[in-house]
Amino acid sequence: MTAPNPEVEMSRSRIAIGGLDITAEPFLQLIERFDWDLSLLEELEGASGPPTDAPRCLVVDWELDESRDLCRSLRSTGTLPDVPVVAVVDDPWSPLVADAFASGVDDYLPRRQLDRLEEKVAAVAGGGTLIGQSASGQVVLVDPDRHQRVLFARQLHRMGFDVHFALDIDSIPEGEQVKMVVISAALDVVAALKARTADVPWLVVGDRDQLDAVDVKETERTKLFDTNGDPGQIVFIANQLLTEAFTQLRASKRLVYGVPIHFGAVKAGSSGGRTYGYTYNISLGGLFVRTLTPPAIGTVLDLCFSPPSGRGRVLVTGHVVWRQEQPVGRNGVPCGFGLQYAELPLADGAALEVGYEALAQHLDKLG
C-alpha cells in the first residue's frame, strides 16, 4: 500500500499550545502581532487523521509528561505529521532536548526565552527559501513498527518521494520506480539483501542492539541508521546513499551528531540575540545547526556546544555558508544553517578533532 502524503493544509490562524499558560504575555503578544487564535493541544486528542483546520504551529511544554506523550501521539498517528513543533524546556542543555528532537520536534526554547517565540512563529508564518532539488520515485519502507514507519515516512515525503509501506520482506516490490529500500533491523535483513535483484540502495534501521546483531556491513549502497536519535537524520543518510557527491571521498565526512548548541552574532548591532539550536551533523570543517530561524548567509557567529566524546563545551567562531528556511525544502533537509569554522582556539580545535575521530570510529564499528 502507498502511504498518504502527510503534507497538511495548515491554517495560518491558529497555534496549539500544550501544557503552557495561554494567557502568559508571550502568547498575548502573538495574538496582537499576528492576529492568530490560540487553542489547547488537548483539543486535538483522539483525532484519527489530519484535521481540516490544523494549527500552523505547536508549542509544547516538554517538561510535562502528558504534553510530551500527547505530542508524540499526534505525530505518530498522522494527526499532525508535518506541523512544526517548538518544545519549551527549563534547562537548554538538558537531556530532554535530545528526547524532543528524537520525537520529531523542529526547534526548542528555554522557558526564560519564551518571549522569543514570536521569531519562531514569524518564520513559520512567512515561509522561506527552498534549497536543493526534489527527489522523485518510490521508497519502500519495510518496518512492522507503525510509529517508526510514520516518523520516517514524514521525512522521506519531504524529500519528494512516494513512500510505499511493506510489513515484511516478501512484500518488497521491485521495479525502476524503486529508488531505495528502508528496512527494519528486526527483520531478516541478510536474507532480504541476498534475495534482492535490483541494485538499489538499502538503509537498515534499528536501535543499537538490533544493529549490532545484524550481520551487515556498511558499503556505498548499504547504510545503517540508529533509531535512538533524531528521526530527521534519516534524510542525511538517505542523501549519502542517493547523491553521487556523497559517495566521493572528502577531506572530512559529515557525521550524524546531535547536541544542544548556543549561538549568536559576533558583531555588535547585528539583528537577533543569542539563542539555541540543535546540531544535525558535524565535520572537521563545520557543522549544520537545526533551527526555525537560521541567520543570514555570511553572518559571523560564535557557538558553544559539547564536542563528540568530550567533556565540557567548546567555543568556536564561524560564518553561515548556506541556510534552509521554513517550510522544509523538498530536499528533506530540516530548517537550519550550515556553518564553516573560521576560528578555532587551539584547545577547542584539538577537542573537536579528537571527538570527531572518536565519533567516526564509533560509527565505523556500528557499520
Side-chain angles (χ1 to χ4, degrees):
M1 57 183 171
T2 299
N5 192 320
E7 297 292 337
V8 179
E9 187 65 34
M10 292 178 288
S11 168
R12 302 182 76 88
S13 61
R14 189 156 64 95
I15 304 172
I17 310 297
L20 295 157
D21 179 8
I22 63 175
T23 65
E25 185 62 27
F27 297 118
L28 297 180
Q29 290 175 359
L30 287 178
I31 296 175
E32 181 178 352
R33 168 72 171 78
F34 296 101
D35 193 26
W36 284 9
D37 294 328
L38 302 181
S39 63
L40 297 177
L41 190 64
E42 289 76 12
E43 295 174 8
L44 297 167
E45 190 171 10
S48 58
T52 56
D53 61 341
R56 188 66 182 173
C57 180
L58 308 182
V59 183
V60 181
D61 189 336
W62 215 256
E63 299 287 340
L64 301 178
D65 290 343
E66 57 269 28
S67 297
R68 291 198 305 270
D69 292 344
L70 178 54
C71 184
R72 291 191 187 105
S73 174
L74 293 173
R75 274 286 201 239
S76 64
T77 59
T79 304
L80 296 175
D82 224 26
V83 177
V85 179
V86 178
V88 177
V89 297
D90 291 334
D91 178 3
W93 304 104
S94 163
L96 277 178
V97 177
D99 174 78
F101 280 89
S103 300
V105 161
D106 299 278
D107 207 344
Y108 81 107
L109 281 170
R111 200 175 305 275
R112 65 175 182 271
Q113 285 192 352
L114 198 56
D115 58 340
R116 302 199 63 172
L117 181 61
E118 182 177 326
E119 299 172 17
K120 310 295 183 184
V121 173
V124 171
T129 303
L130 303 183
I131 299 176
Q133 298 297 316
S134 297
S136 61
Q138 189 178 86
V139 170
V140 181
L141 188 50
V142 195
D143 197 326
D145 185 330
R146 185 179 187 279
H147 172 73
Q148 195 160 275
R149 287 201 311 269
V150 172
L151 284 178
F152 288 155
R154 176 187 179 227
Q155 304 298 332
L156 294 167
H157 269 301
R158 284 177 162 182
M159 296 180 72
F161 284 112
D162 171 30
V163 179
H164 179 98
F165 287 161
L167 300 182
D168 53 55
I169 60 177
D170 294 329
S171 304
I172 301 175
E174 294 192 7
E176 292 184 359
Q177 76 278 10
V178 177
K179 303 302 181 183
M180 181 172 64
V181 174
V182 180
I183 185 169
S184 169
L187 301 174
D188 191 348
V189 178
V190 174
L193 284 168
K194 289 180 178 178
R196 71 180 181 182
T197 57
D199 185 24
V200 298
W202 281 48
L203 179 56
V204 182
V205 299
D207 60 32
R208 290 186 180 89
D209 291 338
Q210 289 174 324
L211 293 178
D212 287 343
V214 172
D215 187 21
V216 174
K217 300 296 182 183
E218 284 197 330
T219 67
E220 287 187 357
R221 306 293 283 172
T222 305
K223 298 292 182 184
L224 306 182
F225 180 73
D226 186 348
T227 55
N228 286 328
D230 174 9
Q233 294 281 3
I234 197 172
V235 171
F236 171 60
I237 305 299
N239 274 325
Q240 284 185 303
L241 284 169
L242 296 166
T243 306
E244 186 175 349
F246 276 101
T247 66
Q248 299 172 352
L249 292 177
R250 293 167 173 244
S252 170
K253 289 176 60 178
R254 284 182 268 185
L255 305 177
V256 173
Y257 182 60
V259 292
I261 185 168
H262 192 212
F263 64 91
V266 171
K267 292 184 178 179
S270 297
S271 61
R274 298 187 64 83
T275 188
Y276 292 87
Y278 198 73
T279 63
Y280 185 63
N281 57 50
I282 189 170
S283 72
L284 286 175
L287 42 72
F288 184 90
V289 178
R290 294 189 62 173
T291 175
L292 289 174
T293 51
I297 292 175
T299 304
V300 179
L301 303 173
D302 59 31
L303 308 97
C304 179
F305 63 100
S306 298
S309 305
R311 296 179 179 178
R313 304 185 186 112
V314 295
L315 180 64
V316 303
T317 301
H319 59 275
V320 178
V321 293
W322 73 280
R323 66 200 299 258
Q324 174 72 61
E325 301 178 41
Q326 180 70 20
V328 172
R330 280 298 192 175
N331 57 359
V333 177
C335 300
F337 63 93
L339 179 125
Q340 182 177 336
Y341 298 140
E343 183 179 339
L344 291 175
L346 186 61
D348 290 342
L352 279 171
E353 184 173 357
V354 170
Y356 174 88
E357 296 299 339
L359 178 61
Q361 291 177 14
H362 171 71
L363 295 177
D364 284 344
K365 288 180 180 178
L366 288 179

